[in-house]
Amino acid sequence: MFKFASKARPLLIPARRIRNYSQQHPRPTERHEDEVVGVEPAVSRYAIGASVFLLGGLSYYIYSEFGPALSPHLLWGGSEPAEPTKAERDARETARRQRQVRAQMAPKSDLTAEEQLKWAWTHPGLYAIGSNEFGLADPQHPGIFPGLKCAVPGLEGRLIRSAAFARTHAAAIDSSGSLFQWGTGFAGDAPHAPKCTLRDTSICEVAATDDFVVARDRKSRIRVLRGRSAADTEVDASGAALSFEPRLGWRESVVSMSAGRSHVAVTTDHGHVYTAALDASGNARGQLGHGSDAIVPTLTLRRIESEHRFASAACGAEHTLLLTDTGDVLGCGANDFGQLATGAYHPGTTTVPELAPLARLWRSGAVRPRDARVVDIAAGAATSYAQISQGGALQLLAWGRGIDGQLGNGTLTHIQGTPTLVPALSGRQEFDYESQARRPLGVRALVAGANHALAVCDNRSNVVLDTSGAAVDASPLYGHDVFVWGNNAAGQCVPGRRHRFATPEPAPLLYTPSGLPAAGSELRLQAAPPQWISTARLRGTDPGSLPKTVLVEQAFVAGPDITAAFLRPCK
């Protein structure tokens, strides 16, 4: 009978034996390292890598060129490859067109940020970024991918007085008074070029609604043209003139205009505001300021009866903001997202049919402080903006719909019924070397698209006006900072990036430099300030149609999923 130990005894090796063994038998890796020291390999590892790369490339080329012909003779060969379907062929053709348009219309530039500022002064045209689903950025290739960055074909070399974008159509007025229209809603799905639909040297401003284009001239005439060819409207192809009720007073002139989804508001130099419905839904939410029950005929500008004198008006999709000459803001219309600043959401305040003051703009909640006033207003589809001057400081407020970040306060808020601060553009200061003192830094121009916004800051520029036009060649030059924020699904804020911007971001350059920027230069857009330019230096412009020198500046416009910059003759 055998007996087995319940536990095996551990094998004990003295540490001295281990040390002796290590000294007598060095590690193989050490011997290997000793052997290869100072010995050059027969073949360089770089040569091996290059050979593998060349063989792989050659194999891919042979297979791509001769694969279909050789596949039946290979072991894995089978039947003939299936003929691509129409959908596959269309997808390949679309991809090819996308690559072609991206290469031709959005080339890289060798210009630095400062050089592009000078470039903007001498290259008239309309430069758009964002969606081209309806051919608004490039009507010759409608339907191409989002994030397109290009000059609108057909408008190169034209000084643009005003431009406007709706969802499916767009319009622009050049310095000669020619009104151009384009987009698939206007011209159909086929490739096309902007079409001149009206010529009048007095036309100075244009606005766009879902179905119409509204033009204002220096004679205070307001004309409506079809923007969407399929629109069911009483306006014929030649357009229609809006009538005033009551008529404009003696020497009263219209000075500004704004349009919403189906209504328009104009402001006169006598402090009056006239509003009109362009179709049956133009006053469905009381956005005309006459009450939702008021019987307002379409295509008639009716004056809003008020004790206030108004300085400007801003139209959202279905709401209207009015700025008084004393710095107060009144509003009416849709309030589903709090765009009329009525506070917390309540079903009874989703529509404000009567014109009412926006008291929540002020901390007191009722009366505007003596040292405070609103200096500018703007309206997106369901978002409102106001720049306030108070106590020597400038602040930008936003309220309404903010789910796409268009409030600019770092949050994605669905409903914002109380004005909130846009911190990045509020309470800023800069040092003024001329006065040797700090001065408030605000917003020079505020442009609101449907769900995004753009602000041009009023930071000091070193541009000196020179009527001879020679100052364009001065260096260094810097312009006004430009910020964008809000929805960016179509690249209308920053092309190449698709996420929402909840805080203002520096706008990118119109064209991306092909190399690294110059020392001290930043890859961000700066708006070109007013400057006198010799018409002979305007690229693509007929010098005979303009004076010898012209005062121009860079301006911006925003629409649904699109943003554009253009060179505008100063008033």
Side-chain angles (χ1 to χ4, degrees), residues 16-100:
R16 181 179 59 185
R17 293 181 59 185
I18 295 177
R19 287 195 300 270
N20 294 338
Y21 181 86
S22 300
Q23 293 173 359
Q24 298 173 7
H25 300 81
R27 288 181 299 173
T29 55
E30 294 176 350
R31 291 204 313 270
H32 177 71
E33 292 173 355
D34 293 339
E35 290 172 358
V36 300
V37 170
V39 178
E40 296 294 334
V43 180
S44 171
R45 56 183 178 182
Y46 298 106
I48 295 175
S51 301
V52 172
F53 178 82
L54 290 175
L55 288 175
L58 181 61
S59 302
Y60 177 81
Y61 172 78
I62 294 174
Y63 182 78
S64 61
E65 290 292 328
F66 307 105
L70 295 176
S71 59
H73 306 285
L74 299 177
L75 294 177
W76 58 84
S79 59
E80 291 290 334
E83 187 71 19
T85 63
K86 183 179 183 302
E88 292 174 342
R89 292 195 301 270
D90 292 344
R92 293 176 183 175
E93 177 63 18
T94 299
R96 185 190 67 79
R97 290 171 58 195
Q98 289 178 357
R99 292 192 296 269
Q100 181 181 8

Side-chain angles (χ1 to χ4, degrees), residues 255-293:
V255 294
S256 64
M257 175 177 65
S258 181
R261 180 173 296 164
S262 57
H263 74 290
V264 62
V266 301
T267 308
T268 73
D269 55 1
H270 286 194
H272 296 142
V273 169
Y274 289 77
T275 56
L278 303 183
D279 58 28
S281 64
N283 195 42
R285 305 296 298 275
Q287 58 264 48
L288 298 185
H290 308 301
S292 57
D293 297 331

Side-chain angles (χ1 to χ4, degrees), residues 470-502:
V472 178
D473 298 320
S475 183
L477 292 175
Y478 53 87
H480 302 293
D481 294 332
V482 182
F483 290 88
V484 290
W485 68 96
N487 189 301
N488 191 47
Q492 62 266 41
C493 291
V494 180
R497 299 166 66 181
R498 305 290 294 275
H499 66 273
R500 295 170 287 189
F501 290 94

Side-chain angles (χ1 to χ4, degrees), residues 72-356:
H73 306 285
L74 299 177
L75 294 177
W76 58 84
S79 59
E80 291 290 334
E83 187 71 19
T85 63
K86 183 179 183 302
E88 292 174 342
R89 292 195 301 270
D90 292 344
R92 293 176 183 175
E93 177 63 18
T94 299
R96 185 190 67 79
R97 290 171 58 195
Q98 289 178 357
R99 292 192 296 269
Q100 181 181 8
V101 171
R102 183 182 293 276
Q104 293 180 355
M105 306 303 293
K108 290 185 179 296
S109 167
D110 292 327
L111 302 178
T112 64
E114 180 185 331
E115 291 169 338
Q116 291 201 31
L117 174 65
K118 301 177 183 179
W119 180 90
W121 275 322
T122 56
H123 288 73
L126 186 64
Y127 299 88
I129 60 174
S131 172
N132 196 46
E133 180 181 1
F134 302 103
L136 302 187
D138 179 15
Q140 294 181 358
H141 302 87
I144 293 299
F145 55 93
L148 183 64
K149 181 192 295 186
C150 69
V152 177
L155 298 179
E156 303 95 333
R158 296 183 182 273
L159 292 175
I160 305 296
R161 292 179 180 174
S162 178
F165 292 92
R167 173 64 61 183
T168 63
H169 66 95
I173 303 170
D174 70 2
S175 57
S176 67
S178 298
L179 190 150
F180 293 88
Q181 294 181 250
W182 68 96
T184 59
F186 170 76
D189 296 334
H192 60 281
K195 178 182 179 182
C196 181
T197 56
L198 181 64
R199 281 189 175 92
D200 188 335
T201 56
S202 65
I203 300 177
C204 57
E205 187 179 7
V206 66
T209 69
D210 282 0
D211 297 328
F212 302 98
V213 167
V214 187
R216 174 180 72 88
D217 62 26
R218 296 189 181 93
K219 300 177 183 178
S220 298
R221 292 178 298 184
I222 309 297
R223 283 176 275 192
V224 178
L225 293 86
R226 281 191 178 187
R228 197 167 62 88
S229 57
D232 183 13
T233 173
E234 58 189 273
V235 177
D236 56 25
S238 61
L242 301 185
S243 59
F244 288 83
E245 184 183 308
R247 297 177 60 181
L248 295 176
W250 173 251
R251 292 187 175 181
E252 184 176 11
S253 302
V254 177
V255 294
S256 64
M257 175 177 65
S258 181
R261 180 173 296 164
S262 57
H263 74 290
V264 62
V266 301
T267 308
T268 73
D269 55 1
H270 286 194
H272 296 142
V273 169
Y274 289 77
T275 56
L278 303 183
D279 58 28
S281 64
N283 195 42
R285 305 296 298 275
Q287 58 264 48
L288 298 185
H290 308 301
S292 57
D293 297 331
I295 300 176
V296 181
T298 58
L299 304 180
T300 300
L301 287 162
R302 176 176 291 184
R303 188 170 68 192
I304 295 179
E305 300 300 333
S306 174
E307 61 183 5
H308 299 280
R309 288 177 56 89
F310 298 107
S312 64
C315 295
E318 293 182 310
H319 75 285
T320 305
L321 301 178
L322 303 180
L323 174 62
T324 70
D325 60 354
T326 58
D328 289 303
V329 179
L330 290 78
C332 58
N335 189 45
D336 306 87
F337 299 93
Q339 57 263 49
L340 295 180
T342 56
Y345 174 82
H346 188 276
T349 61
T350 55
T351 297
V352 181
E354 304 289 343
L355 203 62

Side-chain angles (χ1 to χ4, degrees), residues 379-402:
T383 313
S384 302
Y385 304 90
Q387 184 174 209
I388 293 179
S389 173
Q390 183 173 11
L394 293 170
Q395 297 178 337
L396 182 63
L397 302 181
W399 62 97
R401 189 174 188 267

